[in-house]
């Protein structure tokens, strides 16, 4: 049986950090104690480093099959391992779209072959991920996927979404919704706010998001389906989710670091500021931060959306939607929210490790008996974000040049080391 002993690392225990040793046997945590002496076991000294349950990102784009020039399962999961993620959930805007078990098989085979960390895919909600037309066979797909999403598109018809939720509810898996009313888009590509008006750009109104969140919450009430809202970006959506939770509905949501750190006043005419949903107003950013701190927002996901350098080089109007996030999310959140006292370390760990596991049923944790999926962080490492150093093929980020603190030193999946940095002896 494979054994690994992690010595002298710090574990965050809710009330603070404690120095601990962790013994891993057969892929699970066998023992946690102040001192562990085990003979003939591979031992790693983690003095000065911090152990967290492996990070989980429930919203990434790995682009394989179909768009391997942007990213692959190998490159995207290696970027995840580099950053401390032990599980990532890729969205289905692929070719073929995983809308049948046969189509999904192509992706599952690539995962089996190349994935460095757990890669747990979504199936689409509609055939061809069109946001309309035919629904997928939820029951046939459910055993292979983490949930159902048409990410990149909203499901337009109320009747179709009601039927999707009715069928999905029987599987126990969640609907993970990209909320966007096409009729309200009017060719927009950044937030419909002051920057768009001043610089002559076409705006995407907030209503295009929150109208669909509102509709879907009503459908959850009618169907009982578990429902998770993708990349919440508006203050109205935060308020709707808060109310749904108070009512006891099975509703959860995520946002991404860029919506918490930036708003439309940060925009420049550069593709690295373009994503969907767009960076919103100052009020929206404040509401998102409040929601992240008070528990309305359950999860920090990245919406890691790599594109080629050329696709991101055409300014705000013509660049592709999407920025990368796997290799910047934790250091950005730690530096700008935990270090500055806006949120506790415990809250960050909940949003990046604990809640995604609980909501999506993903293994891992830092208790005896848990599957040994662990991120070891060097919380005192400080550096400047440089996209050239990213493992991901995608390099487009608005955070290049940001000074951050906190770097992943080692990543363990199923008790096996999948990334080891220079600062681990
Ligand atoms: O910015 C985005 N990029 N938003 C989406 O909804 C899709 C994603 C992508 O696939 O590039």
């Amino acid at each position: 049986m494979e054994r690994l002993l992690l010595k002298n690392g710090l574990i965050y225990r809710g009330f603070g950090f404690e120095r601990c040793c962790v013994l891993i046997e057969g892929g699970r945590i066998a023992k946690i104690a102040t001192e562990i002496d085990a003979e003939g076991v591979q031992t790693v000294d983690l003095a000065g480093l911090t152990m967290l349950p492996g990070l989980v990102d429930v919203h990434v784009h790995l682009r394989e099959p179909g768009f391997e020039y942007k990213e692959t399962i190998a490159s995207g999961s290696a970027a995840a391992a580099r950053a401390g993620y032990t599980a990532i959930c890729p969205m289905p805007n692929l070719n073929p779209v995983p809308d049948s078990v046969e189509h999904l098989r192509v992706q599952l085979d690539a995962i089996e072959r190349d994935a460095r960390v757990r890669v747990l895919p979504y199936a689409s909600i509609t055939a061809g991920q069109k946001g309309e037309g035919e629904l997928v066979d939820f029951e046939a797909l459910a055993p292979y996927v983490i949930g159902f999403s048409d990410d990149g598109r909203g499901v337009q018809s109320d009747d179709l979404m009601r039927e999707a939720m009715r069928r999905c509810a029987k599987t126990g898996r969640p609907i993970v919704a990209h909320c966007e009313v096409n009729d309200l888009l009017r060719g927009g590509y950044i937030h419909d706010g002051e920057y768009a008006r001043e610089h002559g750009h076409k705006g995407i109104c907030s209503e295009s998001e929150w109208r669909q969140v509102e509709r879907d919450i009503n459908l959850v009430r009618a169907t009982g389906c578990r429902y998770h809202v993708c990349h919440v970006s508006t203050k109205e959506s935060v308020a709707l989710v808060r109310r749904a939770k108070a009512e006891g509905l099975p509703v959860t949501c995520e946002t991404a670091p860029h919506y918490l750190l930036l708003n439309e006043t940060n925009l420049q005419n550069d593709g690295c500021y373009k994503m969907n949903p767009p960076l919103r107003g100052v009020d929206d950013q404040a509401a998102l931060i409040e929601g992240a701190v008070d528990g309305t927002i359950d999860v920090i996901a990245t919406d890691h959306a790599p594109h080629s350098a050329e696709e991101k080089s055409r300014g705000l109007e013509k660049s592709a939607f999407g920025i990368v996030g796997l290799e910047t999310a934790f250091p950005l959140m730690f530096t700008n929210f935990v270090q500055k006292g806006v949120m506790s370390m415990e809250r960050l760990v909940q949003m990046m490790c604990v809640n995604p596991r609980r909501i999506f049923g993903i293994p891992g944790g830092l208790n005896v008996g848990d599957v040994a999926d662990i991120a070891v962080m060097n919380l005192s490492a400080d550096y400047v974000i440089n996209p050239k150093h990213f493992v991901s093929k995608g390099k487009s980020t608005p955070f290049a040049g940001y000074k951050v603190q906190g770097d992943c030193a080692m990543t363990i999946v199923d008790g096996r080391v999948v990334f080891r940095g220079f600062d681990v002896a």
Side-chain angles (χ1 to χ4, degrees):
M1 182 164 49
E2 257 183 86
R3 297 168 89 203
L4 177 66
L5 177 59
L6 307 175
K7 285 199 85 143
N8 303 323
L10 299 167
I11 289 190
Y12 191 76
R13 286 250 149 136
F15 39 83
F17 291 104
E18 233 183 291
R19 198 181 60 79
C20 277
C21 300
V22 173
L23 179 66
I24 299 167
E25 286 180 349
R28 286 186 183 266
I29 297 181
K31 190 172 178 185
I32 302 178
T34 319
E35 288 300 335
I36 300 176
D37 283 311
E39 294 280 299
V41 179
Q42 189 197 343
T43 302
V44 184
D45 186 12
L46 299 184
L49 303 175
T50 301
M51 291 178 265
L52 302 177
L55 308 182
V56 176
D57 192 345
V58 300
H59 192 142
V60 301
H61 297 269
L62 298 183
R63 309 301 193 199
E64 183 179 1
F67 306 93
E68 289 83 350
Y69 68 96
K70 297 175 195 261
E71 191 80 292
T72 60
I73 284 163
S75 64
S77 67
R82 169 67 188 86
Y85 286 92
T86 56
I88 52 177
C89 306
M91 287 295 175
N93 50 348
L94 300 166
N95 187 12
V97 171
D99 54 6
S100 66
V101 175
E102 190 194 346
H103 286 166
L104 177 67
R105 181 67 55 202
V106 186
Q107 194 186 349
L108 293 176
D109 287 347
I111 291 168
E112 178 80 29
R113 194 180 61 230
D114 292 334
R116 185 80 70 91
V117 302
R118 278 177 218 285
V119 176
L120 309 167
Y122 291 97
S124 60
I125 298 171
T126 57
Q129 204 218 354
K130 293 194 166 69
E132 55 192 23
E134 299 288 308
L135 294 173
V136 299
D137 184 340
F138 288 90
E139 267 177 55
L141 283 157
Y144 304 98
V145 297
I146 198 81
F148 293 86
S149 181
D150 267 5
D151 184 58
R153 286 211 179 95
V155 175
Q156 297 306 308
S157 131
D158 303 1
D159 287 345
L160 194 66
M161 190 55 142
R162 182 181 299 106
E163 186 58 19
M165 285 197 192
R166 216 179 51 74
R167 293 191 199 173
C168 188
K170 290 191 191 143
T171 72
R173 300 259 185 252
I175 290 273
V176 176
H178 173 114
C179 290
E180 190 165 30
V181 178
N182 290 349
D183 284 347
L184 295 173
L185 293 180
R186 302 181 196 107
Y189 45 87
I190 60 170
H191 177 55
D192 185 18
E194 217 164 287
Y195 182 95
R197 280 191 291 279
E198 269 175 22
H199 295 82
H201 290 293
K202 288 192 181 140
I204 302 174
C205 63
S206 294
E207 194 179 348
S208 66
E209 175 180 292
W210 66 258
R211 273 277 171 224
Q212 213 162 76
V213 175
E214 183 180 51
R215 176 206 63 186
D216 286 355
I217 288 172
N218 287 331
L219 295 176
V220 169
R221 195 179 292 115
T223 61
C225 185
R226 289 175 56 211
Y227 177 74
H228 179 84
V229 193
C230 290
H231 42 51
V232 166
S233 72
T234 68
K235 57 180 188 286
E236 292 88 352
S237 302
V238 176
L240 285 162
V241 170
R242 187 177 285 123
R243 246 181 285 148
K245 287 185 163 189
E247 204 187 311
L249 296 175
V251 172
T252 55
C253 74
E254 69 191 34
T255 193
H258 41 280
Y259 303 114
L260 295 170
L261 265 100
L262 304 174
N263 59 60
E264 63 168 337
T265 68
N266 299 104
L267 284 172
Q268 294 173 35
N269 194 3
D270 182 319
C272 74
Y273 292 94
K274 182 172 177 181
M275 70 292 290
N276 189 23
L279 298 176
R280 299 284 186 186
V282 176
D283 290 359
D284 297 295
Q285 182 193 7
L288 290 166
I289 294 171
E290 192 189 1
V293 172
D294 76 12
T296 303
I297 295 174
D298 303 270
V299 167
I300 304 292
T302 66
D303 197 2
H304 178 81
H307 294 285
S308 72
E310 193 282 318
E311 289 166 321
K312 292 300 291 177
S313 70
R314 307 178 207 138
L316 284 174
E317 186 182 352
K318 303 262 191 246
S319 289
F321 284 108
I323 59 168
V324 293
L326 281 168
E327 291 167 85
T328 54
F330 181 82
L332 285 170
M333 291 301 301
F334 180 69
T335 307
N336 292 287
F337 293 98
V338 178
Q339 293 284 79
K340 292 189 179 161
V342 179
M343 71 176 62
S344 65
M345 183 68 184
E346 186 178 15
R347 182 78 198 120
L348 184 61
V349 171
Q350 274 174 0
M351 286 193 292
M352 296 191 78
C353 311
V354 178
N355 291 348
R357 285 201 165 79
R358 179 176 48 75
I359 295 165
F360 290 86
I362 297 169
L366 267 183
N367 295 300
V368 171
D370 284 341
V371 166
D373 282 15
I374 298 172
V376 179
M377 296 289 178
N378 181 351
L379 295 181
S380 48
D382 47 17
Y383 55 101
V384 173
I385 291 175
N386 181 351
K388 285 196 188 123
H389 297 160
F390 290 167
V391 173
S392 169
K393 287 193 189 187
K395 310 293 179 196
S396 186
T397 170
F399 299 113
Y402 274 51
K403 276 194 187 153
V404 288
Q405 200 175 315
D407 195 11
C408 177
M410 187 161 88
T411 306
I412 296 168
V413 176
D414 259 336
R416 281 190 298 273
V417 177
V418 297
F419 167 73
R420 187 171 183 150
F422 296 117
D423 37 9
V424 179

